[in-house]
Amino acid sequence: MNFDNTTSTLEPKQTIIKTGLHIILTTDEDDLRPVYLAGNFNNWSTQDKEFVMERIGTGVYHFKFTHDFDYPETLLYKFTKGDWSEVEIDSEGNRTENRSTTQHTGVQKEHVGRWRKNWLPFKQNYLPQVLLISDEFEIPQLNRTRKIWALLPHDYDTSDESYPVMYLQDAQNLFNENAEFGNWEIDKKLAVMSEYKIGKIIIIAIEHADEDRIQEYNVGRTILGKGQGKKYIRFVTKTLKPFVDNNFRTKKDRANTGIGGSSMGGLISIFSGLRYPKVFGKLMIFSPSLWVKPEMKIKMDEEQTEDTKIYLYAGGDESDTMIEHVKNFKERAIASEFVKDKMKINLSINKEGKHNETYWSDEFPKAIEWLFFNTKDN
């Protein structure tokens, strides 16, 4: 396989024997990242090693289906650089429709003008509606108040659909352009996902407690002292979720309810899932502060449940122990009686990832897609 930047002197017709279906791709933007086929033949998997294209020259790729390939009646597909954040777009930055063919033999020639990078660019008309639920939402369990936001699908007001819900910690850093350390840009990422019909979800964003953040996200007695995490979890579960379900068109069941966050926000989200598995069926855990309680016991506080999904992310440039702690957590979870064929855990590691919003922003849409939408056509 040739991955240098020299131009091939061979024409595609000289390198391909015309038996079975071949797809030949040319592109104006080329780099060393592999190109994959995703389609209705592999559940739209965007990084399927069985459908990676061979680079035969600068900006020229091809793929040959096996002689015994079981074709759908109409083959639908797109080209990606590894996930939907890096999917093909046209030369103007617009989404391309699914490509299709009914051929089972011969050559199908295709062209890609540009590729998305980190889910951008986005279109304004797909941005979610950002609604301030309250400046001072009461937290009776902690005898304090909090600012809480809802991000609703762009067409919420013109639709009668009900939506899954993800509860996220640290709202100050999720979509605030003026955030001191940057933000996840979840509004922009959700806009692009919605354009691809995979991002229709309600996000409930809960601001942290400023100077009391660590205490509020800390559960039980740890090296940080005694935390108030159990009370905070009861607030999200017993007070906030019923309010959201009563005031928005939500899918209330655990299969459509998730909780997540990063760092200490990731840690409190783990505990929320373990304490209330009947409520939260999806956990989005980024760079969790497992150093606070490295020997965390993986056990449930309620009756065992089915089909919990955990998206677990860590960066290699966060700390000396981050990846080790995350891998150990995954191994203990898999070995525990609580999990034991009842959970699906997706571990994503970016060896160059740092402990900041930029890397969590990049991971957010991948996690949402895997947790809620990974079986849908795109």
Side-chain angles (χ1 to χ4, degrees), residues 42-143:
N42 68 345
N43 292 318
W44 295 94
S45 175
T46 57
Q47 201 173 82
D48 190 334
K49 292 181 179 179
E50 293 186 13
F51 295 96
V52 63
M53 303 190 76
E54 180 180 6
R55 188 174 189 265
I56 58 176
T58 301
V60 184
Y61 296 78
H62 89 108
F63 180 84
K64 176 185 176 182
F65 288 91
T66 59
H67 70 279
D68 58 349
F69 183 74
D70 185 14
Y71 294 92
E73 182 175 349
T74 299
L75 191 73
L76 301 176
Y77 57 98
K78 274 191 171 78
F79 302 103
T80 86
K81 291 276 189 173
D83 59 57
W84 294 113
S85 70
E86 300 174 301
V87 70
E88 60 168 286
I89 51 180
D90 68 20
S91 58
E92 302 299 321
N94 298 310
R95 175 195 178 204
T96 60
E97 296 301 321
N98 291 336
R99 300 172 186 269
S100 66
T101 181
T102 57
Q103 292 188 102
H104 296 177
T105 60
V107 175
Q108 183 84 3
K109 294 183 179 180
E110 303 284 15
H111 182 78
V112 168
R114 292 171 55 189
W115 304 88
R116 285 198 187 277
K117 294 181 180 178
N118 195 21
W119 290 92
L120 302 177
F122 69 95
K123 291 185 178 179
Q124 292 281 343
N125 58 314
Y126 283 100
L127 283 169
Q129 300 180 45
V130 180
L131 173 67
L132 177 62
I133 293 177
S134 175
D135 266 318
E136 297 182 326
F137 197 100
E138 291 189 7
I139 306 179
Q141 294 83 352
L142 293 167
N143 194 29

Side-chain angles (χ1 to χ4, degrees), residues 11 16 19 24 37 50 59 134 140 146 179 203 223 240-241 247 265 278 283 292 294 308 356 374-375 378:
E11 294 295 327
I16 297 172
T19 57
I24 300 175
L37 276 170
E50 293 186 13
S134 175
R146 189 64 40 78
I203 302 291
I223 62 176
L240 182 57
K241 184 180 187 300
N247 286 275
K278 288 184 178 180
L283 308 183
V292 171
T308 296
N356 63 41
N374 68 336
T375 61
N378 292 284

Side-chain angles (χ1 to χ4, degrees), residues 27 34 74 78 127 177 193 199 223 243 252 310:
T27 179
T74 299
K78 274 191 171 78
L127 283 169
E177 295 288 349
M193 294 178 74
I223 62 176
F243 174 88
K252 302 175 177 59
I310 301 178

Side-chain angles (χ1 to χ4, degrees), residues 144-162:
R144 61 184 64 148
T145 62
R146 189 64 40 78
K147 184 180 286 188
I148 298 177
W149 305 80
L151 279 72
L152 307 175
H154 72 281
D155 58 351
Y156 183 87
D157 290 340
T158 59
S159 166
D160 59 1
E161 292 181 62
S162 295

